[in-house]
Amino acid sequence: MSTRCGIGYDLHRLAEGRKLIVGGIELPFDKGPVGHSDGDVLAHAMCDALLGAAGLGDIGTHFPDTDPKWKGANSLLFLEHAKNLLADKNFAIEHVDAVVITEKPKLGPHFPKMREALAKALGVSSDQIHLKAKTNEGVDAIGRGEAIAAHVVATLSSV
Ligand code: MG
């Protein structure tokens, strides 16, 4: 058996009048990510981490933001697609660890639901998905509440 790791990162600007969707869950907040799809930074960074670990490119390769098919798309679909690509190459998802950075709102209370939604999309158990929340201590665009970002590391095994 061999093990491979992949890293993913994403950032979206936050604007009024957009739904805030993180980890497949809609959170009550007055701003949301600007993006072609639903702008779910956590799902996007996770998708890149998984694809990277498998050597399968990145989210833009598979879901170009010029394709009208993905306008407003639920980003959990990207994760489901990535899961299938991994399975085709005989990779199994061992663990996914993530940091989501946003000044507001508080994410921790929503983590159980996010882990459940992400685990379902990836066909794994929610204890294989670990989520952490950080603020940016008021510094830079994230600290001013103008953006949300996520970093994810994924570990895969193959037989
Ligand atoms: Mg994105």
Side-chain angles (χ1 to χ4, degrees):
M1 188 185 89
S2 72
T3 303
R4 295 168 69 147
C5 290
I7 185 170
Y9 168 76
D10 195 29
L11 177 147
H12 281 257
R13 283 187 296 115
L14 291 170
E16 280 173 22
R18 299 270 305 178
K19 284 183 187 173
L20 178 59
I21 296 177
V22 182
I25 301 299
E26 185 178 339
L27 308 183
F29 196 51
D30 58 348
K31 288 195 262 185
V34 178
H36 185 68
S37 64
D38 62 8
D40 185 336
V41 279
L42 177 54
H44 293 181
M46 198 167 284
C47 201
D48 266 359
L50 293 164
L51 292 171
L56 291 169
D58 64 17
I59 194 169
T61 318
H62 298 278
F63 312 101
D65 63 8
T66 47
D67 189 336
K69 186 161 78 173
W70 307 118
K71 189 164 165 54
N74 178 341
S75 296
L76 293 179
L77 291 176
F78 301 165
L79 287 176
E80 280 176 24
H81 186 72
K83 170 194 74 176
N84 293 333
L85 292 172
L86 264 50
D88 288 348
K89 293 243 174 189
N90 293 319
F91 285 113
I93 299 166
E94 292 297 326
H95 190 252
V96 178
D97 188 26
V99 183
V100 185
I101 313 162
T102 189
E103 216 58 22
K104 280 180 190 172
K106 281 231 175 295
L107 300 177
H110 304 283
F111 279 169
K113 273 188 161 179
M114 288 182 200
R115 290 172 66 205
E116 210 173 289
L118 293 163
K120 191 175 169 207
L122 294 176
V124 299
S125 151
S126 58
D127 62 16
Q128 290 167 274
I129 310 271
H130 192 252
L131 304 178
K132 303 184 292 293
K134 301 293 280 185
T135 71
N136 231 19
E137 299 274 330
V139 173
D140 85 15
I142 295 174
R144 290 191 299 271
E146 296 167 7
I148 180 169
H151 299 263
V152 179
V153 171
T155 306
L156 308 182
S157 61
S158 66
V159 283

